[in-house]
């Protein structure tokens, strides 16, 4: 369900409601179950805002219909992760475990100690959290140890030669 006020777009799902601010240089309307976005005047700046707004509205609607997901893999001896209450505890080769606080809008699961599944309604937030967790220990190019995205390819380097 979609409602349009003056400068706001309200998207309602089964149990979620999201509000989206629309730029004043755009006209947004709903026609035949489609959202139509048009600029009031065509300039270079309004074209940029037009495309970005279309993409953000699309991501908001898709996030309400189906959650966005990212999967991370921990590669390395002793590298593991576990959800403990509202924290994600990551053991990634440091002398201490790293605790990452889980936001309320995001779901994080660890089906096994070497995998982290992140899901949520906001595409930007899911990607940002996946990036933050990956930055705890990025994959290194010699042995490939670290936290990587599920479909990421690590280009390995050749070691020292004698």
């Amino acid at each position: 369900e979609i409602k349009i006020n003056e400068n706001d777009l309200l998207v309602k799902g089964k149990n979620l409601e999201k509000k989206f601010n629309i730029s004043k240089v755009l006209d947004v309307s709903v026609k035949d179950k489609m959202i139509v976005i048009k600029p009031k005047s065509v300039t270079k700046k309004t074209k940029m805002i037009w495309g970005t707004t279309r993409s953000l509205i699309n991501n908001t609607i898709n996030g309400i219909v189906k959650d966005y997901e990212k999967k991370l893999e921990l590669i390395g001896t002793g590298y593991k992760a576990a959800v403990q209450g509202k924290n994600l505890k990551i053991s990634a080769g440091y002398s201490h475990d790293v605790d990452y606080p889980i936001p309320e809008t995001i779901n994080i699961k660890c089906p096994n100690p070497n995998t982290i599944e992140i899901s949520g309604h906001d595409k930007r937030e899911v990607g940002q959290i996946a990036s933050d967790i990956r930055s705890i220990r990025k994959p290194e190019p010699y042995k490939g140890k670290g936290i990587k995205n599920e479909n990421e390819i690590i280009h390995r380097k050749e070691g020292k030669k004698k």
Side-chain angles (χ1 to χ4, degrees), residues 44-56:
K44 187 175 181 179
K45 186 166 183 160
T46 56
K47 283 181 183 179
M48 291 187 289
I49 294 171
W50 185 9
T52 303
T53 303
R54 190 221 71 80
S55 181
L56 290 173

Side-chain angles (χ1 to χ4, degrees), residues 76-108:
T77 307
Y79 286 26
K80 59 187 174 197
V83 177
Q84 292 183 345
K86 293 186 177 182
N87 286 328
L88 176 68
K89 191 175 213 93
I90 300 171
S91 175
Y94 293 115
S95 61
H96 60 284
D97 290 345
V98 178
D99 287 336
Y100 186 84
I102 302 171
E104 291 183 18
T105 57
I106 296 293
N107 298 324
I108 295 182

Side-chain angles (χ1 to χ4, degrees), residues 3-10 18-28 40 53 57:
K3 291 182 182 177
I4 299 173
N5 296 337
E6 293 174 17
N7 287 336
D8 293 329
L9 180 81
L10 188 70
K18 282 226 169 189
K19 192 175 187 182
F20 184 80
N21 291 333
I22 301 167
S23 177
K24 294 175 184 170
V25 297
L26 299 175
D27 284 328
V28 179
K40 292 179 181 174
T53 303
I57 290 173

Side-chain angles (χ1 to χ4, degrees), residues 31-48:
K31 293 180 184 173
D32 301 329
K33 295 186 178 182
M34 290 183 67
I35 299 173
V36 180
I37 305 168
K38 290 186 179 178
K40 292 179 181 174
S41 65
V42 179
T43 62
K44 187 175 181 179
K45 186 166 183 160
T46 56
K47 283 181 183 179
M48 291 187 289

Side-chain angles (χ1 to χ4, degrees), residues 71-72 81-83 108-118:
K71 292 183 181 177
L72 300 174
V83 177
I108 295 182
K109 294 183 230 164
C110 294
N112 60 32
N114 295 335
T115 336
I116 302 171
E117 292 180 357
I118 305 164

